[in-house]
Amino acid sequence: MIKKVSTVLVAVAIATLGAVGSAQAARTDITVGMQLEPPNLDPTAGAAAAIDEVVYANVFEGLTRFGADGSVKPALAKSWEISEDGLTYSFKLQSGITFHDGSAFNAEDVRFSLNRSRAEKSTNAQKQLFASIDTIKVADPETVVITLSAPNGALLFNLAWGDAIVMSPDTFDKAKTAPIGTGPFKFSRWVQGDRIELVKNPDYWGTPAKLDKAVFKFISEPTAAYAALMAGDVDAFPVYPAPENLAQFEADARFNVVVGSTEGETILSTNNKQAPFDNKLVRQALAHAINRQEIIDGAMFGYGTPIGTHFAPHHPVYKDFTANSAYDPAKAKALLKEAGFENGFKTTLKLPPPSYARRGGEIIAAQLRQVGIETEISNLEWAQWLEQVFRGKDFGLTIVSHTEPMDIGIYAKPDYYFQYDNKDFQQLMSDLTLETDDAKRAEMLQQAQGIIADDYVNGYLFQLAKTGVANADVVGLWENSPTQANDLTEVYWAK
Amino acid sequence: MRRRRNLVIGALLCVLFIAAALVSFVWTPFDVISLDIANKLKTPGGEHWFGTDHFGRDILSMIMVGARTSIAVALVAVGIGMVLGVPLGLFAAASRGTLLDELIMRGNDLIFAFPALLIAILITAVLGPSAVNAIIAIGIFNIPVFARLTRAAALSLWERDYILSARVAGKSKLRISAEHILPNLLNLLIVQGTIQFSLGVLAEAGLSYVGLGAQPPTPSWGRMLAESQTMFSFAPHLAIFPGLAIVFTVLGLNLFGDGLRDYFDPRLRHNRHDETPEAIVNDERVS
Amino acid sequence: MIRYLARRLLSLALTLLVASVVIFLIIEVVPGDTASLMLGVNADEETRLALREELGLDVSKPVRYFNWVSGMLTGDFGISYTYRTPVSEMIADRMMVSFPLALYALALSTLIAFPAGIIAATKRGSFSDVSIMGVTQLGVAIPNFWFAMILVTIFAIKLRWFSAGGFPGWEVGFFAGLKSLTLPAFALALPQASILARVMRSSLLDTLGEDFIRTARAKGLSARQALWGHALRNALIPVLTIIGLQFSFLLAGAIIIENIFFLPGLGRMIFQAITQRDLIVVESVVMLLVFAVVAVTFLVDVAYAVVDPRLRRRV
C-alpha cells in the first residue's frame, strides 16, 4: 500500500513537472509490434501466446497475477488466507471495481469465470490449472472461498495465468472480439490483420495507466519488423524476432535493446519410445554431440543461456547440469559404438517455424553428422507440427521452446509427445503437488532436474532470451518474460 | 541482327548456369553442407568470392548447387506440363467440338482459374514441403499452357490440305496427330518450353522463398533470399548474389526463347506466344 | 446467340460446381486440426473435442460441404473458426486494402506500359525500342519479392520517404492510405508493366501492319493520325483483355508482397488462415477467387462473341 501511495506521488510529481517544465508534452500513446496476431481476445479460449500478449494485465485481471519479476502478486484479490490443511483458500477481493462496461464486479463473477473454465465442456486450453479445485463458493460479495480436493502448492501461481482471468457472465460471449475486463486499459478497436487498439480506463481501481492509448501492430515477417522499427512505425517490439539485427539497434542511439529472460527452455526433443532413442546410451551420445555455444552463436547470434536440464536458469532453485552433457564428440562416438551404432544411424528432425528451430536445426544436423548421425530435416508449420509431432508422435527429433513457466511436470506424463516414462519421476511430481512447504518444494524440484538430466530425456540446448527493442524514450516495459504478456500499466515516455 | 544477339546472349547465360550446376556435382569451391560458424558473414573477396552466409557457408558454392535445384525443379515441372498437356491438346484438337474437347478445355480453364501460389501452399500443407512437391505444384499449372497452345496450333494444321489427304487415305485421327501434327508443332513447343522453363525457375524461387521448396541443407536460391533478408541491411551480399542469379537465369532463358522463335520462324517475330493472355496470366501466378 | 449464351452459362455453372468440389476436397485433406492449434500443447483430448463441437467441426464432411455451398448461394460464407466472425465481413474488410492495391498497381503498370509500348512500336528498331525492350526483359526476370526487399531498404529504411509497410486505414485520409500502398504497388507493377509494354508493342505492330492502316495511310492520313485514330484503338483489345485478367490475379497474387509490407489484405488473410487451418476461410476465399476468374473469362468470351459472330461456333 505504501508503495502504491508513493507511485501515485511520483506520478503526480512527474505530471506537475511535465506541465511546468516543457511546452512539448511527452507522448501518451505507444505502438507495440508483435509477430503474431491473436486469433481472438479471450485468454480463456485459446492457447495462443498472442492473446495474453495483448490483454493480460492490460484488459483482463485474475485473482492473482505475475509481476515483472515472475513473482505472484495480488490482483483482484487483495489478500487471502489458507487453512491449516492447505485445502481452503479464502480470497478477499478489492472493493469498488467495475468492468469496462460500467457494471459492478463482485465475487459472483469470480465464481462464474473459474467454474466456466473448469466445466466439463470447457474449452480452456489450460484446464489442468484448475484440476485440484473442488468447489468455489461466494461467502459474501467481496469474498470467494475455494476448496481443493487435495493440497496444491501451486494454486496461487496457477490462478495468475491468463487462462484464469475473471469476466462477467453478461459479456463473456463477446470476449473473443470485444473483451470487457477490469484492467487499466479498455479494448477500443480491432482492425483484423493489422492492429488492436486499447485506450486508458479512467475508472481503473488501482494505479491508473500512464498512457492514454496503446496500439498493438502485427508484423509477422522479421524483415518487416526491422523496417518498421527503423522507420519509426512501431515504438517497441518486446519480442523482436531476429537477433541478428540487435547489434544494429544497439549501435543506434534512437533505440534501446533489452535482453531479458523468458520461461522458454529450448530443447532438442527426442522421441524416447522410438528406436534408437529408447536406448539411454544413444540419448547420452546425442547430448555430448551437441555444441550448445555454437548453436547459441549461430542461431541466436549469441543471445541465450545454455541449460543442462528442463528448468529456467534465472529461477532460484535452478541447478546447473550443463557439465553433465558437455560437448564431447569423441565421447559421443564411443557411446554410440557401445550402443551398437558404430556406423551411426538415420533419423528425422522436424522443425517448427521459429528461427531458433529452423536455424538451430541446421546447426544441430551438421553437428550430429560429425558423429555419424544423419538427419532428414523437414520444416513444418505449427499445424503440421502439432499433428505429426505433438499428437502423432511421428518424429525422431524436433526442436521446440517450452515457454510455459515451471513446466517440468510434463516429464511426468508418459503420453506426452517425447514419451518419457519414469515411475520415480512421476511419483516425485505427485508428491510435489501435495507439498506446500517451500524449502521442501525447492529440494524436490532440484531432484527432478537431476533425474531428467541424468536420463538425457531430451537434448537441453538453451534458455530463450527475451530480446526486445524499443524507442530509447520508452520507459517501463517488462525486461523479462515470466509469462507471455506486455503489461503496459507502467509504461510512459521519458520525453 | 537483334534476333541473333538475343539468341547469343541468352544462350551464353544459360550455358553459364547449366555449367555451374553441372560442375557443382564434382566440385564446388567449398563444401555447402558443413557449417563454419566462426567464419560467418564474410564480405565478398579473398577466398570467398561472393562472401559467406550466416552459417559461414560459401555463397558462390551455394549458388552453384542452388542452380542445380532450380534447373532440376523447373525442368521436371515443364516436362510434366508437356507430357500431360501436349497429348491433351492433340486430343482436343482431333475431336474438335465434341464433349471430349469441351471437357479438356473447361478443365484447363478451371486450373487456370485457381490461384497458383495458394494451391502450391495447400499441396505443401498436405504432402509436406519438398522439392518434389514444388515440382508437382509448378507442373500442374504448366499442363493447361501446353494443352491450349497445342490445341490452337493443331486446329490450324487440321485445316491443311495434306492432313485432309491423310484423312481421305483412311488414317485414324490418332495416327495423324502423332505422325503429322506433332512433328509440325515441335518448334513451337521448344520455344514455349524455354519460356515456361524460365517461368519455372522464377516459380521455384518464389516457392522456396516462402519455404515450400527444397528443404535444408540442400541450397536453393529462393531460400537463400528468405534466410538472408533480415541481414540485408548489414550484409547485403547474402541477398544480392542469389537474387542476381535468379534474374540472370530467367533473363537468359527468356532471351534464348525469343531468339529461338525468331530463328525458327522469323514471321512470328512480334507475335509472341508468351504474350497471349494465357501465358501472361500463367506468368504471374506463382511469382 | 441465345443458344450460345445458354451453353456458355451452363458450362460456367458446371465449372463452378466442379471447382467447389475440388476446392473442398483439396482443403479438407489438409492435415492439422484448427482446434488443437487453438488449444496448444497443454489441453487434453476431451477439451479438444469440446472445442471441435463448439466450432461445428464434428459434423460429417458431406454435410459440411452441403452447408457451405448452400450458404454461399445465399451469400453466407460461414463463420471463421479462429476469429469467430463472418467470413464475408472479413473478406469485405480485406478487400478495402487488396482492391485498391490491385487497382493502384494496375494503374501504375498501365501508365508505364502504354507510353513505353507505343514508343517502342512506333520507333521500332531504334535505340529507344531496344532499351525499352531490354528493360522489360529485366522487369520480367526480377522476382518481385526481391524487388520489394530492395524498395523497402532504400525508400523506407534509408531515405525514410515511405513507411516500411502497414496500412493506417482509409479514415486517416485518402492520400495517407495511398502513400502506404505506394511501395507495394510498385513492387507488384514492375512485372506487370513489363509484360503489358511488350503486349502493347507487339499488338500495335500487328495492327500497324494490317490492311486498313495501310489504306488509311494511302488515303493521306499522316503516320501520327493513323496511329492515334486507328491503330491504337484496335491494338487495345488484346491489351484490355490482359488487364482484366491481371486484375483478378493481382487480388490474390499479392500474398508475398502483402506479407513483406504487412498489409491486412486478402492474400495475407488467406495465408494466415492456411497456417491456422481456418479451412472455412480458405475454402470461401479460394472459391471467390476462382469465381472471379471464371466470370471474367466468361464475360470476355461473350464480349468477343457479340463482336465477332464467327466465334460463337468455337465455344
Side-chain angles (χ1 to χ4, degrees), chain A residues 239-299:
Chain A
V239 186
Y240 184 73
E244 57 270 34
N245 296 134
L246 293 175
Q248 286 169 286
F249 287 115
E250 258 167 1
D252 191 328
R254 290 180 294 154
F255 300 102
N256 206 357
V257 175
V258 182
V259 180
S261 59
T262 72
E263 299 300 316
E265 292 84 21
T266 311
I267 60 175
L268 177 67
S269 276
T270 309
N271 192 340
N272 278 247
K273 289 250 163 79
Q274 192 191 75
F277 301 117
D278 50 355
N279 183 341
K280 186 179 153 188
L281 288 171
V282 174
R283 297 200 302 269
Q284 191 181 352
L286 211 57
H288 289 295
I290 293 167
N291 182 347
R292 294 191 183 90
Q293 200 53 50
E294 191 178 66
I295 298 167
I296 294 172
D297 289 344

Side-chain angles (χ1 to χ4, degrees), chain B residues 189-271:
Chain B
L189 289 175
I190 290 171
V191 169
Q192 189 66 31
T194 318
I195 305 289
Q196 291 307 120
F197 188 20
S198 87
L199 295 176
V201 170
L202 213 50
E204 192 273 339
L207 289 181
S208 57
Y209 173 79
V210 284
L212 307 179
Q215 294 296 289
T218 312
S220 81
W221 294 345
R223 195 153 38 73
M224 287 171 77
L225 283 182
E227 285 174 355
S228 64
Q229 56 179 338
T230 49
M231 296 165 229
F232 195 66
S233 48
F234 61 92
H237 63 278
L238 263 63
I240 285 176
F241 291 114
L244 289 178
I246 298 171
V247 172
F248 284 120
T249 309
V250 174
L251 189 65
L253 284 164
N254 275 336
L255 290 175
F256 186 63
D258 275 8
L260 262 188
R261 177 187 20 249
D262 294 346
Y263 176 80
F264 284 144
D265 187 357
R267 279 170 305 141
L268 283 174
R269 129 174 114 244
H270 51 254
N271 191 14

Side-chain angles (χ1 to χ4, degrees), chain C residues 248-259:
Chain C
S248 49
F249 280 108
L250 272 175
L251 271 184
I255 296 182
I256 298 179
I257 294 297
E258 283 181 7
N259 261 315

Side-chain angles (χ1 to χ4, degrees), chain C residues 111-130:
Chain C
L111 282 176
I112 299 167
F114 272 44
I118 293 170
I119 292 170
T122 48
K123 304 194 171 163
R124 185 165 172 206
S126 71
F127 175 73
S128 359
D129 180 23
V130 173

Side-chain angles (χ1 to χ4, degrees), chain A residues 122-157:
Chain A
S122 155
T123 51
N124 193 304
Q126 313 289 351
K127 208 173 151 185
Q128 83 286 352
L129 292 175
F130 315 100
S132 62
I133 297 178
D134 185 33
T135 59
I136 302 171
K137 289 207 178 78
V138 174
D140 65 65
E142 291 189 3
T143 312
V144 179
V145 179
I146 297 181
T147 43
L148 307 181
S149 45
N152 181 352
L155 184 75
L156 295 170
F157 176 86

Side-chain angles (χ1 to χ4, degrees), chain B residues 52-125:
Chain B
T52 63
D53 75 350
H54 57 294
F55 288 151
R57 290 173 296 199
D58 179 59
I59 291 178
L60 176 60
S61 311
M62 290 186 72
I63 286 179
M64 288 171 69
V65 185
R68 207 154 90 192
T69 317
S70 273
I71 291 173
V73 168
L75 206 60
V76 180
V78 174
I80 291 176
M82 270 196 185
V83 166
L84 296 176
V86 172
L88 281 176
L90 289 174
F91 281 132
S95 54
R96 175 183 193 176
T98 65
L99 189 65
L100 178 70
D101 180 23
E102 176 82 13
L103 274 180
I104 292 174
M105 294 323 284
R106 289 301 148 253
N108 282 334
D109 287 353
L110 195 62
I111 296 181
F112 259 132
F114 275 96
L117 178 59
L118 283 178
I119 298 303
I121 294 173
L122 286 171
I123 289 176
T124 318

Side-chain angles (χ1 to χ4, degrees), chain A residues 213-244:
Chain A
K213 188 179 175 191
V215 178
F216 290 95
K217 201 159 175 66
F218 310 113
I219 304 175
S220 55
E221 294 281 320
T223 327
Y226 171 80
L229 274 164
M230 278 293 175
D233 298 340
V234 298
D235 303 311
F237 221 108
V239 186
Y240 184 73
E244 57 270 34

